[in-house]
Amino acid sequence: MAETKVVHNPGDNSYEVWSDGKLAGFTRYEEISDLTVFVHTEVDEAFAGQGLGKILAEGALDDVVANGGTIVPVCPFIARFVIRNKDRYESHVKWPKDVGIGE
């Protein structure tokens, strides 16, 4: 089984998922006050089917929550992950329409 880790890269406004020492994917965000607006997520095709998107989303969202932030899921992948894990993240989410994004 591959060794995976999620790394926060604040200089690039992203969280990265690494698999066996190789960058496998990332999710980018923008910060607006205490809001962390997730805008785009990618996992390299070479790493498809390994569940790294889930690991990435979980690591990124858990970090935002642990630091007292609020998640705004503009990225469709992150939005689906939040919906599938509603019990875990619901109280830490503001939807884009609720904060005037995308109107």
Side-chain angles (χ1 to χ4, degrees), residues 14-26:
S14 68
Y15 287 87
E16 302 166 342
V17 64
W18 291 77
S19 179
D20 285 340
K22 297 177 184 161
L23 179 62
F26 62 88

Side-chain angles (χ1 to χ4, degrees), residues 11-42:
D12 196 32
N13 284 1
S14 68
Y15 287 87
E16 302 166 342
V17 64
W18 291 77
S19 179
D20 285 340
K22 297 177 184 161
L23 179 62
F26 62 88
T27 186
R28 293 220 195 292
Y29 64 86
E30 297 172 9
E31 290 184 322
I32 304 170
S33 186
D34 70 334
L35 303 176
T36 302
V37 183
F38 286 92
V39 295
H40 182 71
T41 303
E42 284 185 31

Side-chain angles (χ1 to χ4, degrees), residues 8-9 11-13 22 29 39-40 46 48 52 58 65 67-68 70 73-75 91 102:
H8 186 198
N9 183 348
D12 196 32
N13 284 1
K22 297 177 184 161
Y29 64 86
V39 295
H40 182 71
L52 295 177
E58 182 176 59
V65 170
N67 287 296
T70 300
V74 172
C75 167
S91 64

Side-chain angles (χ1 to χ4, degrees), residues 34-98:
D34 70 334
L35 303 176
T36 302
V37 183
F38 286 92
V39 295
H40 182 71
T41 303
E42 284 185 31
V43 174
D44 189 296
E45 286 185 31
F47 297 92
Q50 298 179 32
L52 295 177
K54 176 187 179 295
I55 292 168
L56 173 60
E58 182 176 59
L61 299 180
D62 286 353
D63 187 63
V64 170
V65 170
N67 287 296
T70 300
I71 301 159
V72 181
V74 172
C75 167
F77 181 84
I78 296 294
R80 282 190 304 275
F81 187 83
V82 166
I83 290 166
R84 288 182 184 136
N85 296 276
K86 184 169 46 171
D87 294 343
R88 186 170 178 180
Y89 297 109
E90 188 171 29
S91 64
H92 305 284
V93 172
K94 288 190 180 176
W95 292 97
K97 64 180 178 55
D98 295 334

